[in-house]
Amino acid sequence: MKKILVILLASCLLPLAAGAQDARQRSATTIVADALAQLPAQTSEVYNGLMRELASTGAAGVREMAGMLVPADKGQNAVVEYALNGVADYVTGEGLDAARAEVRKGLAEGIAACTDKPNQAFLLSLLQICSTEEDIPVFVKYADDDYLADAAVRGLVSTPGSEEAVLSLMQNAPRPSALLAYAASKRPSEGAEEILLSWLTDYQTDDATKEAVYNALAACGGKSSLRTLADAAAASDYDFGKTDATSAYIRLVNRLADEGDTKSALAAARSLAKATARTNVRAAALQIILRTDVKKRTQNLLAALRDGDREYRGAALDFAGDFADEALYAAVVRKMPSLTEQARTDIVNWLGARHAASQTDAVVAMIGSDDDELAAAAIRAAGKIGGTKALEALIACLDGPHAAEASAALLAFNGNVNEGVLAALDGAPSTQVHALKLAAARRIAPAADKVFALLASEDAAVRTAAADALAGVTTVGDFDRLCDLLDQTSGEEMRKVQDGLKNALAAQPADVQFDKVSARMAAAKERTRYYPLLAQAGSREAIDALLAADDRDAAFAALLTVDNAEMIGVLSDLAARNPAWKDKALARYTDFVATYAPAEERPALYCKGLEADPSADVQNRLLRALAATYSFPSIEVAARYLGTPATAEAAAFAVKTIAAKNPGMGGETVVNALEKAQEVYAALAKSDADAGYAVDEIKGMLAKYAAVPRFELSPEEAAEGFEVLFDGLSMEKWTGNTTNYVPLDGTIDVTAQYGGSGNLYTKKEYGDFVLRFEFAFVRPGVNNGIGIRTPMGVDAAFHGMEIQVLDHDDPIYKNIEIYQQHGSVYGVIPAKRVKFGELGTWNVEEIRAVGDRITVTVNGEVILDGNIRKACKGHNVAPDGSAKNPYTVDGRNHPGLFNKKGHIGLLGHGPGIRFRNIRVKEL
């Protein structure tokens, strides 16, 4: 079975023979046309499928596409180029050798047939993507063409096995060629060096060609090229500009070392190191020396450390990292006394960075240096190395001139510092202050007892540091003694104790925090001290306790710090009940809405905050938050604040931002809002240049709305008495849910859910009428409806009539009842099944309601023509008053079926449908 599958898969990738067709009876020409019509693809799956089909057309299909390319002044090649590039890349995949060979053949033939040089170059670049050794002659053929040479030679460079061809081109070149030198650097071969050197000695060459030749010699030259490149580097004063000779020389020396010619490499590097004072060149030479002269490696490094150039010394130490061991560390440290303090500083930093624990004694000894830079470096290094000796030395520094550096090193210490910090808490006051800060920062809980004791220190700085440390060292075990302190302290110290309590409780569940705090608070004389702790608990119980607290202002301040989504409603209520709290409550409310509220609810919640009429500052805060919601209702809300000077700018920003994120949305409502926002920015532009850019941006948006075609009645319909209900922008004749029925690019775009956010209704009621409109399904499985003669806010299918709108071709509806098909009077008269086109196709529909007769026509075909009274034999409700009606096809009561008039409604059951060109004629 597996063998059969492999054969079948391989057969799918074979090219079509001349005149052959694929499984869908398509010729290569048709396959190419079909694929080009679908590009660019929307998904990777579609793209890969199209490339597979194009590859199946073989050389013929590729040749056909290549023949479609036209000169730039004759038309556009974008889609064809996209397709050719894609198929060339596609056939490089695993297991596609046969398809690859055909594509290569087609490209070669296309190149030969093409007469436009730019297109030939493009085809050569595509062959480069999928070429094999067999294509080398194709590239060679065009290598001497002035226009095509670059593409041809780069094709050779990309093709394995092209070294001999490159060499042949070099041998036959009439003059030095930067392009061929580049090829030699990428495809080096024996014999290339001799040619390259001759180009330099036998010809006058420009800098660009010299640079290419030098780079090629760096890639394929040998000892014979050393002198040439050394002289060129010297001639440029070892600069890296112009011909880049210095870089090429260094790369050649490195390559010789890599290939085992360490003698030549070492001699060249030593010579280079003496030839210039440039730090970067000397450092490059030193790196070669250190890696090739293994026996004298330590000696060479130590010599470099005596150099007066700090950057050079740093490079030497960096290079030493590749071979550093304990012996080298020891040798470097032995050398330190004879070196400058600056050099010793560099070495100490190096030892620290390498965590050289074996040299702890030497590093610690440097902490006592009179040179501040060296002492500070030793302190940092000790922290990085870690260990007992380093810890003791750093702790000792806490009472000295380098206390700050030592404290920082202990904060990042490589290891546990608890014992050292605990010991330091028994030291001098200055040591204690630093140790307290460390205990808090490193959250050393075992230090808690000493921290509590130091709260009573005679030294004010120690007492302050101890109070600060409570927030870092306390645990739940310290809860009671912290509460005892809280009951006794006041002012700033009280707040620090509260921070300690918050830290102690932070790891506990909210209910545990609430229980413990409530119990202590109940016995406390000043309960307000415990309000911040209830706020940290943040549970509903804690919120309720604060809402019921005696000190209302203190409780409110605590509530502002609660982190719980339920605070959205709480803060809204507090703002409404207490005008003095309104601004603070709604400012925090804004943050909660942005963080916790579902995106679809935010516009209404921000609107609620605005309607509470807070200060202009808070209104602007709400409007700025509203700008991030990107919905039509948000524009409606923001537009209300464009006319007030204090909020106009924030409102204009919200309108502009939301409209920019939803181009074409909102119709006339958004147009009006944008025009007012434009006026706001125009006024601001007199003193703010950025506002001028906003004016231009809005002009661009308004131009797009102006370009939306406005639907107008035909002369015939106008003469008949039709009126336009929706012209592409204006919703003035509609009411109800204008949030989920929004003008978009000349249509009404529906996102409403059934039974969720309501329907859209005509403001006017209609009895007998003719309704005409167009609709398009933009996603599969759409379910919608047109309500007629219906009251608002009811289920129109039963309390009026619903003419079904349904994508009944979708597989999900294969088992629907016939009275649910598109065009049916839902539950009463089934419609004839109509076939819809592809998604996005616009369908034309007419609904005629005359007395009891309903006629529905879709795309010119009458699919329903019936009498509702006759259909249910006059019994729109069950005669016996029950819920089961034997006279309707759905067996249900339809109490509104015989309504004489009512609204026309769009009955959303989910997103994915758009309506346009809606008009009605009363009869």
Side-chain angles (χ1 to χ4, degrees):
M1 180 64 179
K2 183 182 292 185
K3 183 176 181 181
I4 293 172
L5 289 174
V6 171
I7 292 172
L8 289 173
L9 178 60
S11 68
C12 291
L13 300 175
L14 292 176
L16 296 175
Q21 298 177 323
D22 69 356
R24 293 162 56 189
Q25 304 301 305
R26 297 182 303 165
S27 65
T29 297
T30 303
I31 292 172
V32 168
D34 286 349
L36 293 179
Q38 298 178 67
L39 290 175
Q42 298 301 309
T43 67
S44 59
E45 290 79 8
V46 173
Y47 174 82
N48 289 331
L50 293 174
M51 293 306 109
R52 182 168 55 251
E53 290 184 352
L54 288 174
S56 75
T57 66
V62 173
R63 189 169 58 248
E64 181 170 341
M65 287 188 285
M68 294 178 182
L69 295 171
V70 298
D73 61 346
K74 295 294 194 297
Q76 297 292 325
N77 291 324
V79 174
V80 178
E81 289 176 352
Y82 182 70
L84 283 167
N85 190 84
V87 77
D89 181 67
Y90 173 78
V91 295
T92 61
E94 188 176 353
L96 300 177
D97 291 346
R100 182 175 184 173
E102 285 289 317
V103 169
R104 290 171 33 238
K105 179 183 177 184
L107 287 170
E109 293 171 350
I111 294 166
C114 184
T115 58
D116 180 71
K117 294 289 188 182
N119 285 330
Q120 270 187 304
F122 170 69
L123 293 171
L124 281 166
S125 73
L126 297 184
L127 183 58
Q128 173 185 333
I129 294 172
C130 57
S131 63
T132 67
E133 196 167 348
E134 296 174 12
D135 299 304
I136 291 173
V138 178
F139 294 123
V140 170
K141 178 181 177 181
Y142 300 100
D144 60 354
D145 183 295
D146 289 343
Y147 191 94
L148 301 177
D150 188 79
V153 171
R154 291 183 186 280
L156 286 173
V157 167
S158 299
T159 305
S162 64
E163 290 80 3
E164 186 176 338
V166 171
L167 181 61
S168 177
L169 289 171
M170 293 175 67
Q171 291 168 338
N172 295 313
R175 58 187 177 277
S177 167
L179 184 60
L180 291 177
Y182 163 76
S185 72
K186 299 300 181 182
R187 291 289 172 190
S189 61
E190 188 176 349
E193 180 183 26
E194 184 179 351
I195 297 171
L196 292 165
L197 289 172
S198 72
W199 285 355
L200 292 172
T201 57
D202 299 345
Y203 297 90
Q204 289 291 329
T205 54
D206 57 29
D207 286 344
T209 303
K210 285 180 181 178
E211 181 177 357
V213 173
Y214 293 156
N215 283 326
L217 289 172
C220 65
K223 288 190 293 183
S224 301
S225 300
L226 281 172
R227 175 47 51 198
T228 297
L229 288 181
D231 290 346
S236 69
D237 193 24
Y238 300 100
D239 190 10
F240 284 81
K242 282 191 176 180
T243 61
D244 203 27
T246 304
S247 173
Y249 182 42
I250 292 170
R251 284 185 281 120
L252 173 60
V253 176
N254 269 300
R255 187 172 61 78
L256 291 177
D258 291 339
E259 293 174 355
D261 189 358
T262 56
K263 183 178 179 181
S264 297
L266 185 57
R270 286 173 175 165
S271 176
L272 180 61
K274 296 175 182 177
T276 179
R278 291 182 183 273
T279 301
N280 55 346
V281 178
R282 293 176 64 221
L286 177 62
Q287 186 176 26
I288 297 170
I289 292 169
L290 290 175
R291 72 188 187 91
T292 53
D293 192 0
V294 177
K295 290 183 180 180
K296 295 183 179 180
R297 187 175 274 167
T298 300
Q299 179 183 335
N300 288 325
L301 174 64
L302 295 178
L305 294 177
R306 292 196 301 272
D307 196 275
D309 186 332
R310 189 170 200 174
E311 186 178 347
Y312 178 74
R313 292 197 308 269
L317 289 168
D318 287 342
F319 300 148
D322 294 336
F323 54 85
D325 55 18
E326 297 301 332
L328 181 65
Y329 294 148
V332 170
V333 168
R334 286 196 298 271
K335 190 69 175 176
M336 284 176 66
S338 65
L339 300 176
T340 65
E341 288 184 329
Q342 191 183 71
R344 279 184 277 171
T345 299
D346 296 338
I347 292 168
V348 168
N349 281 328
W350 180 68
L351 292 170
R354 299 196 60 79
H355 305 286
S358 62
Q359 303 307 313
T360 300
D361 288 345
V363 170
V364 167
M366 298 294 171
I367 291 177
S369 171
D370 292 335
D371 184 271
D372 287 341
E373 185 184 11
L374 177 56
I379 289 171
R380 290 193 299 272
K384 292 175 181 178
I385 292 170
T388 302
K389 289 184 178 179
L391 177 61
E392 291 173 351
L394 292 175
I395 292 294
C397 289
L398 292 178
D399 186 23
H402 296 294
E405 290 95 335
S407 184
L410 285 165
L411 191 60
F413 190 80
N414 181 20
N416 191 306
V417 301
N418 289 12
E419 290 187 11
V421 172
L422 288 171
L425 288 173
D426 295 327
S430 58
T431 300
Q432 288 176 323
V433 169
H434 287 292
L436 284 164
K437 293 177 180 179
L438 285 166
R442 295 199 58 142
R443 310 192 76 79
I444 304 174
D449 288 343
K450 291 190 175 184
V451 171
F452 275 95
L454 290 174
L455 289 170
S457 171
E458 294 180 358
D459 188 287
V462 174
R463 290 197 305 273
T464 298
D468 290 335
L470 291 174
V473 302
T474 53
T475 64
V476 70
D478 302 309
F479 178 75
D480 285 329
R481 58 175 168 174
L482 282 167
C483 289
D484 291 342
L485 279 174
L486 184 62
D487 291 337
Q488 301 166 10
T489 57
S490 60
E492 184 62 26
E493 187 175 354
M494 179 190 73
R495 283 186 285 276
K496 292 178 180 180
V497 174
Q498 287 172 331
D499 290 341
L501 276 163
K502 290 178 183 178
N503 184 69
L505 292 171
Q508 303 300 308
D511 58 337
V512 173
Q513 293 189 48
F514 175 75
D515 290 343
K516 294 180 76 67
V517 172
S518 297
R520 283 297 301 230
M521 187 172 74
K525 291 182 178 179
E526 295 187 37
R527 298 182 178 184
T528 57
R529 299 176 178 222
Y530 290 86
Y531 290 175
L533 307 181
L534 286 177
Q536 177 177 275
S539 63
R540 185 68 233 192
E541 282 184 304
I543 293 171
D544 290 340
L546 287 169
L547 290 172
D550 295 331
D551 189 325
R552 306 294 296 139
D553 289 332
F556 173 66
L559 282 165
L560 291 176
T561 68
V562 172
D563 187 10
N564 185 326
E566 293 190 43
M567 288 301 297
I568 294 175
V570 170
L571 289 168
S572 178
D573 291 342
L574 290 174
R577 293 205 309 261
N578 193 324
W581 297 346
K582 184 186 294 183
D583 276 5
K584 288 184 178 179
L586 290 178
R588 184 73 170 129
Y589 166 92
T590 306
D591 298 337
F592 272 110
V593 172
T595 303
Y596 292 113
E600 65 274 10
E601 295 179 13
R602 290 175 200 162
L605 290 170
Y606 290 137
C607 181
K608 184 177 181 180
L610 287 164
E611 288 173 347
D613 195 28
S615 68
D617 286 343
V618 177
Q619 286 181 341
N620 288 329
R621 182 177 184 140
L622 284 158
L623 287 165
R624 285 191 293 270
L626 186 69
T629 59
Y630 309 142
S631 72
F632 175 69
S634 299
I635 288 187
E636 292 184 300
V637 172
R640 301 171 198 165
Y641 294 86
L642 288 166
T644 304
T647 58
E649 183 175 359
F653 173 76
V655 168
K656 177 178 71 71
T657 302
I658 300 167
K661 288 288 184 178
N662 299 275
M665 177 195 74
E668 219 166 51
T669 300
V670 175
V671 169
N672 292 335
L674 283 171
E675 288 174 343
K676 293 177 182 176
Q678 187 179 31
E679 292 174 5
V680 171
Y681 277 118
L684 292 170
K686 296 174 182 177
S687 58
D688 182 359
D690 288 338
Y693 294 119
V695 171
D696 293 338
E697 184 180 356
I698 293 173
K699 283 181 180 177
M701 286 188 270
L702 287 171
K704 292 180 180 179
Y705 281 99
V708 173
R710 301 289 285 262
F711 173 70
E712 295 180 358
L713 294 172
S714 67
E716 294 79 11
E717 287 184 332
E720 290 180 43
F722 278 87
E723 67 169 315
V724 176
L725 291 179
F726 176 67
D727 65 356
L729 284 178
S730 175
M731 297 287 285
E732 65 178 358
K733 295 183 179 179
W734 298 86
T735 188
N737 181 3
T738 55
T739 297
N740 301 106
Y741 299 82
V742 179
L744 178 64
D745 297 328
T747 75
I748 293 179
D749 183 60
V750 182
T751 58
Q753 300 289 340
Y754 175 73
S757 44
N759 299 319
L760 185 71
Y761 301 97
T762 57
K763 293 179 178 178
K764 187 176 177 180
E765 293 187 351
Y766 297 88
D768 291 351
F769 60 87
V770 178
L771 176 70
R772 292 176 181 169
F773 59 92
E774 296 175 34
F775 67 93
F777 301 127
V778 293
R779 67 169 63 179
V782 172
N783 184 4
N784 209 282
I786 304 296
I788 63 175
R789 296 177 183 165
T790 180
M792 293 186 193
V794 299
D795 191 332
F798 303 101
H799 297 281
M801 271 183 279
E802 178 178 354
I803 308 302
Q804 182 77 317
V805 175
L806 184 75
D807 181 17
H808 53 217
D809 292 334
D810 193 273
I812 64 174
Y813 297 126
K814 65 180 180 179
N815 296 320
I816 62 170
E817 303 292 344
I818 59 171
Y819 61 78
Q820 294 175 303
Q821 292 177 168
H822 180 89
S824 299
V825 177
Y826 187 90
V828 180
I829 306 177
K832 176 184 175 182
R833 192 177 183 92
V834 65
K835 181 71 175 176
F836 297 114
E838 298 290 330
L839 290 180
T841 299
W842 284 99
N843 301 281
V844 179
E845 183 161 332
E846 177 186 283
I847 300 172
R848 180 179 293 266
V850 181
D852 294 332
R853 190 179 189 86
I854 308 297
T855 307
V856 178
T857 305
V858 176
N859 296 330
E861 180 182 1
V862 176
I863 62 171
L864 181 142
D865 188 12
N867 186 296
I868 53 176
R869 198 173 297 273
K870 289 181 179 178
C872 65
K873 298 181 180 179
H875 298 291
N876 59 320
V877 296
D880 62 2
S882 69
K884 187 174 182 181
N885 187 348
Y887 295 99
T888 56
V889 292
D890 66 351
R892 300 178 66 179
N893 290 323
H894 291 256
L897 184 63
F898 300 148
N899 291 348
K900 295 299 182 184
K901 67 176 183 176
H903 300 277
I904 296 171
L906 303 184
L907 315 177
H909 289 61
I913 187 170
R914 291 176 184 170
F915 296 94
R916 72 182 184 187
N917 301 348
I918 307 174
R919 64 273 196 199
V920 67
K921 171 187 175 182
E922 290 189 87
L923 299 176

